[in-house]
Amino acid sequence: MKVVTGLLLMLLRVSHGVETYCDGRINGTQCYGALGGTVVLRLMDSTSGIHKYQWVKNKTNIFMGRNDELIANLLGNRSSFSPSDGTFRINNLSRTDGGEYTLTIFDSKGQTLGHQILQLNIQAPVSSVLLVSECLSQGEMRVSCSSEGGDSPQYSWTLDGHTLTDAQLLSGNKDSNTITLRQNVSGQLVCSVSNNVSRVSKEETISTCGFIFIDCISNGTHISQWVFEANNTLCVESTTARTSTTEVMAGILAVLVILLVVGVAVVCAHKTRQNNKPKEEDDEQELTYADVRVVQRQVRREQQKAEAGVEYGEVRFSGQPRQSAPPAGDDCVYSMVRRDR
């Protein structure tokens, strides 16, 4: 009994201050009010030009007015009427306030000018939402969303701000209070519970249940399923083999890179020697000068004027001019000079 009383007090605290609005000027309108809250009903544009009007529920006059004056009001202090905009306010709503209401308008002769029907529904607002999640045997996650105090609750789900899709749901639908998520679904999950007078949400960060999907051939058998990663013994050899192959390929690639670097270094060194070799040869090709002198043998005095035979030595010049200073005059090579007889 104490639990029930506490729940009712909690619902009253939640409902207090909840105000809804409904335009009842259209015949057959469905209006909703929160239990313990306030509803504002627009019944007419204004009372200007209307001689008489009355609002009836189950043949009982709720209120009656003439021109701008309210003659009778059965709800008393719980309600108020505004002739200027034709709104009727009901406070502290109870279940008995729900039902079908009829507004009738009369002319000065008492003839009916028209009437319109309004259906008022009283609902308890949603007070709180609870989320409970659990992992299933194959890694799926079942999430239940429950609410307290709400009449005719409606459920909706979002994941990371987006409505759940069929690809994320294994069973259930995004409008039910219990759903089952697939093994790879994670993120910020939000359950919203609402009715016509309230809306409450609850969010929870969910992660996978520790399952992984394997797809391999082991001992000639094709295995394709979700398994718990911590206890998995399937396809381990295949994983090891793939790891070993990767390591071998990495080693071969490293050797190839080293050989490539060595090869580049050898080529560069060879080109360097080729570029330096001509310079060394050029340095060696210095100018060689020959000092040619004519030596005359004076055998006879009378032959002093005779023609002397001269033999020239070879003179070589460098293919490239030297940048250094020209050789000194003392650097010379003498060649043998013979006189032909």
Side-chain angles (χ1 to χ4, degrees):
M1 184 62 183
K2 292 182 179 180
V3 175
V4 175
T5 304
L7 179 59
L8 289 176
L9 291 175
M10 181 180 65
L11 291 178
L12 288 176
R13 287 196 298 269
V14 172
S15 302
H16 180 70
V18 176
E19 181 174 300
T20 57
Y21 174 84
C22 182
D23 190 348
R25 290 174 293 179
I26 300 176
N27 188 43
T29 301
Q30 295 284 332
C31 296
Y32 295 89
L35 181 64
T38 300
V39 63
V40 179
L41 304 171
R42 185 79 181 272
L43 302 179
M44 60 189 81
D45 296 332
S46 70
T47 59
S48 177
I50 300 178
H51 180 72
K52 182 182 177 182
Y53 48 88
Q54 66 180 16
W55 202 43
V56 179
K57 175 189 176 185
N58 298 330
K59 298 181 181 182
T60 301
N61 285 330
I62 303 301
F63 72 86
M64 181 184 301
R66 181 177 290 112
N67 296 324
D68 295 337
E69 181 182 359
L70 193 62
I71 301 174
N73 184 359
L74 183 63
L75 300 181
N77 295 331
R78 283 203 307 123
S79 65
S80 61
F81 180 72
S82 175
S84 62
D85 58 5
T87 58
F88 188 67
R89 175 187 293 266
I90 307 175
N91 302 314
N92 193 19
L93 291 169
S94 64
R95 297 285 186 182
T96 58
D97 291 323
E100 183 178 282
Y101 294 81
T102 303
L103 175 67
T104 306
I105 299 175
F106 305 91
D107 60 13
S108 59
K109 298 179 181 181
Q111 300 294 321
T112 302
L113 296 178
H115 63 272
Q116 60 195 36
I117 298 174
L118 176 150
Q119 181 70 39
L120 179 59
N121 303 281
I122 306 301
Q123 289 186 339
V126 178
S127 59
S128 63
V129 175
L130 179 65
L131 273 181
V132 177
S133 60
E134 60 175 333
C135 292
L136 302 182
S137 60
Q138 296 300 314
E140 312 94 332
M141 178 176 289
R142 178 187 294 143
V143 186
S144 299
C145 183
S146 59
S147 61
E148 293 183 357
D151 290 335
S152 304
Q154 297 177 351
Y155 299 87
S156 62
W157 300 83
T158 61
L159 182 68
D160 295 331
H162 303 284
T163 303
L164 283 175
T165 63
D166 293 337
Q168 297 168 328
L169 288 171
L170 187 64
S171 65
N173 59 72
K174 55 183 177 295
D175 298 324
S176 62
N177 67 324
T178 301
I179 58 174
T180 302
L181 300 174
R182 295 185 182 275
Q183 292 88 341
N184 59 339
V185 177
S186 62
Q188 195 74 16
L189 184 67
V190 177
C191 173
S192 299
V193 185
S194 62
N195 57 16
N196 294 286
V197 296
S198 63
R199 180 182 181 88
V200 180
S201 298
K202 178 70 174 180
E203 65 180 34
E204 179 181 333
T205 301
I206 61 172
S207 58
T208 60
C209 295
F211 279 65
I212 59 173
F213 185 77
I214 59 173
D215 187 3
C216 64
I217 297 178
S218 178
N219 298 326
T221 303
H222 181 217
I223 301 176
S224 178
Q225 65 185 52
W226 288 92
V227 297
F228 188 57
E229 184 176 14
N231 300 334
N232 178 42
T233 58
L234 300 174
C235 300
V236 175
E237 62 277 5
S238 300
T239 304
T240 304
R242 286 194 298 268
T243 303
S244 300
T245 303
T246 303
E247 293 176 353
V248 171
M249 293 301 295
I252 294 175
L253 181 61
V255 172
L256 291 177
V257 171
I258 294 174
L259 292 177
L260 179 62
V261 173
V262 173
V264 171
V266 171
V267 171
C268 292
H270 178 71
K271 287 186 177 181
T272 302
R273 287 196 298 271
Q274 291 294 329
N275 293 335
N276 294 336
K277 185 175 181 180
K279 293 182 180 180
E280 295 175 357
E281 291 179 354
D282 291 344
D283 291 341
E284 293 177 357
Q285 292 180 2
E286 297 179 354
L287 291 177
T288 303
Y289 298 91
D291 187 6
V292 181
R293 298 181 182 181
V294 179
V295 181
Q296 297 182 352
R297 281 187 174 181
Q298 298 182 357
V299 179
R300 295 184 182 88
R301 188 179 296 274
E302 61 272 10
Q303 295 179 347
Q304 289 181 355
K305 296 182 179 180
E307 181 179 359
V310 181
E311 181 177 342
Y312 297 92
E314 181 180 351
V315 180
R316 291 189 302 158
F317 295 91
S318 173
Q320 297 180 357
R322 290 178 58 86
Q323 299 297 327
S324 60
D330 294 340
D331 295 335
C332 59
V333 178
Y334 294 91
S335 63
M336 181 180 293
V337 180
R338 292 186 304 172
R339 176 180 171 183
D340 293 336
R341 294 184 179 181

